Amino acid sequence: MECFEVTGGTALTGRVRVTGAKNSALKLMAAALLAAGRTTIDEVPDILDVAIMSEVLRRLGCDVTYERHAVGGGGRLVVDVPDRPGTETDYDLVRRMRASISVLGPLVARCGSARVALPGGDAIGSRGLDMHISGLERLGATIESEHGFLVATAPRLEGTSIWLDFPSVGATENLVMAAVLAEGTTVIDNAAREPEIVDLCAMLTAMGAQIDGAGTSTITVDGVPGLQPVTYTTVPDRIVAGTWAIGAVMTRGDVVIERAVADHLTVALAKLSDAGAQVEPLPDGLRVAMDGRPRGVDVVTLPYPGFPTDLQPMAVALAAVSTGTALITENVFEGRFMFVNELVRLGASVRTDGHHAVVRGRERLSSAPVLATDIRAGAGLVLAGLVSDGVTEVQDVHHVDRGYPDFVEQLRGLGARIERVQRPD
Ligand code: UD1
């Protein structure tokens, strides 16, 4: 088992560079399936999930190569897509990474059929697929569930109007990727507005798709007969940037986050200002500095442009060492407070009730062995370890490696005392 040993007590200071967003790069890789030939995607983070998505594409007959850049944790990925890709994605891959289901839309659109394993539950909630399925059905696909697979068939897709009950990121992406090759016009209402959706639509547009309204709640897609491969650069990762920003505030440090886009973190940065931090947008990044102890601030997670659910564990960790009491409300994933029990092991005063957590701030936390339950919970626990007395051992860090390239190296570059160690299982 791999663990992080985090020694508390040092402030994060210096410069760190963020590469492309995991939650965009994985979808851009799926979008490559929409055109035969060689698509190049730059600033793809060197993380396990990208390796898993590469394997998904290889099993569909693509040739995938990855060349890492010298600095920044990103690299250039080349996907060579055959004229007739395969149509099946197995449970062993979907189980390891839920985002594998984003090949569903492109495969149905391009090949007229797809068999993709059902992902099942995961550590942050039940995560339904109903909107992916009903949207594809409205576009003309027939979808059945058999032996743990979603089986979709659609000799042709036809443009339609789709209303999403919730602005789901994954459903919006799958439906846009199906609609780009449908006949006629598709209008998706109550669509997700995340920067990663805008990024996907920008790449699809560069490939020849006709898309209007990306970044708003109504996306209109005029289907085209075919798309061409392109060269495209992934949008910077706002969740990684937000993690370093919150870490700077918690440790009372001073960090320049190169390539961070302040406009993609408006609510989160406003919360950090409310906590007393100095937040300064720079031409190519962002500076966050903190003097003294932060003030507790209430946080409510919501679809973009609301406070991101992926930064909620870091917000709870911040409140745990702030003055006063903060109310954190989780509205996106019902299981996302599971990690709170681990934070309590570090001496945090947190009570949860349904989708609310009441956090009473303490001056410092107290080190203990804790378990990373998912990517973001793991990152939140490491930040908590940085403000704990003694050495905190964060276990099961393979979760963190799924979302943060060079996590230990980047933190060490900012002065943190953190080591990756092997422990017997
Ligand atoms: C993506 C991100 C994840 C982020 C989330 C919200 C990836 C790989 N993951 O996840 O990191 O936390 O967006 O910004 O990009 N839902 C349904 N039915 C559906 C679809 C979704 O009930 O058909 C529900 C989910 O259970 C969840 C909520 O909608 O409660 C949000 O899900 P969604 O926005 O789809 O998130 P993901 O795309 O899974």
Side-chain angles (χ1 to χ4, degrees), residues 22-23 26-27 98-99 124 126-132 166-171 173 194 238 309-310 332-334 336 376:
K22 163 180 103 71
N23 287 348
L26 298 173
K27 318 309 166 61
R98 200 178 185 280
I124 60 174
S126 61
R127 307 184 85 176
L129 287 177
D130 50 311
M131 290 181 266
H132 301 243
F166 181 92
S168 154
V169 175
E173 289 164 340
E194 270 70 1
R238 66 197 163 97
T309 174
D310 282 355
V332 182
F333 291 112
E334 81 271 8
R336 209 144 206 185
R376 311 302 173 185

Side-chain angles (χ1 to χ4, degrees), residues 249-279:
V249 177
M250 285 175 70
T251 60
R252 309 180 194 183
D254 188 343
V255 173
V256 171
I257 308 160
E258 294 171 11
R259 296 188 79 243
V261 181
D263 280 351
H264 293 169
L265 281 165
T266 309
V267 175
L269 296 177
K271 292 289 171 187
L272 295 183
S273 297
D274 290 348
Q278 228 185 303
V279 176

Side-chain angles (χ1 to χ4, degrees), residues 19-290:
T19 182
K22 163 180 103 71
N23 287 348
S24 201
L26 298 173
K27 318 309 166 61
L28 303 181
M29 290 171 72
L33 287 167
L34 286 162
R38 183 182 281 238
T39 283
T40 302
I41 310 169
D42 209 349
E43 293 293 348
V44 172
D46 186 8
I47 52 174
L48 187 60
D49 277 12
V50 165
I52 297 173
M53 188 54 112
S54 301
E55 189 53 32
V56 169
L57 295 179
R58 281 188 194 108
R59 291 205 203 162
L60 293 170
C62 304
D63 190 34
V64 186
T65 55
Y66 182 75
E67 200 183 313
R68 219 191 121 113
H69 298 319
V71 287
R76 179 178 294 235
L77 186 125
V78 179
V79 190
D80 209 335
V81 180
D83 286 334
R84 295 172 68 87
T87 55
E88 180 160 317
T89 299
D90 283 342
Y91 183 52
D92 63 316
L93 292 169
V94 179
R95 185 174 50 87
R96 289 168 72 198
M97 190 191 59
R98 200 178 185 280
S100 311
I101 56 162
S102 53
V103 299
L104 186 61
L107 288 181
V108 175
R110 176 96 199 282
C111 313
S113 71
R115 257 172 75 84
V116 178
L118 283 160
D122 67 18
I124 60 174
S126 61
R127 307 184 85 176
L129 287 177
D130 50 311
M131 290 181 266
H132 301 243
I133 295 169
S134 61
L136 287 172
E137 283 175 340
R138 280 197 60 82
L139 282 162
T142 306
I143 302 197
E144 287 181 81
S145 154
E146 57 183 48
H147 308 300
F149 280 85
L150 273 183
V151 182
T153 36
R156 56 193 282 252
L157 294 174
E158 236 177 284
T160 183
S161 60
I162 299 170
W163 166 267
L164 299 180
D165 292 337
F166 181 92
S168 154
V169 175
T172 303
E173 289 164 340
N174 248 329
L175 297 176
V176 167
M177 289 191 279
V180 288
L181 292 182
E183 269 178 47
T185 303
T186 300
V187 179
I188 306 171
D189 258 318
N190 201 24
R193 299 159 60 188
E194 270 70 1
E196 294 75 27
I197 303 273
V198 176
D199 204 35
L200 173 64
C201 290
M203 173 163 142
L204 292 170
T205 302
M207 292 170 82
Q210 303 273 335
I211 305 173
D212 217 37
T216 76
S217 299
T218 306
I219 298 179
T220 306
V221 182
D222 284 315
V224 294
L227 298 174
Q228 302 84 47
V230 282
T231 294
Y232 190 78
T233 300
T234 317
V235 70
D237 197 316
R238 66 197 163 97
I239 305 302
V240 172
T243 303
W244 303 144
I246 296 174
V249 177
M250 285 175 70
T251 60
R252 309 180 194 183
D254 188 343
V255 173
V256 171
I257 308 160
E258 294 171 11
R259 296 188 79 243
V261 181
D263 280 351
H264 293 169
L265 281 165
T266 309
V267 175
L269 296 177
K271 292 289 171 187
L272 295 183
S273 297
D274 290 348
Q278 228 185 303
V279 176
E280 193 189 335
L282 303 171
D284 185 30
L286 182 66
R287 175 173 166 242
V288 179
M290 184 75 200

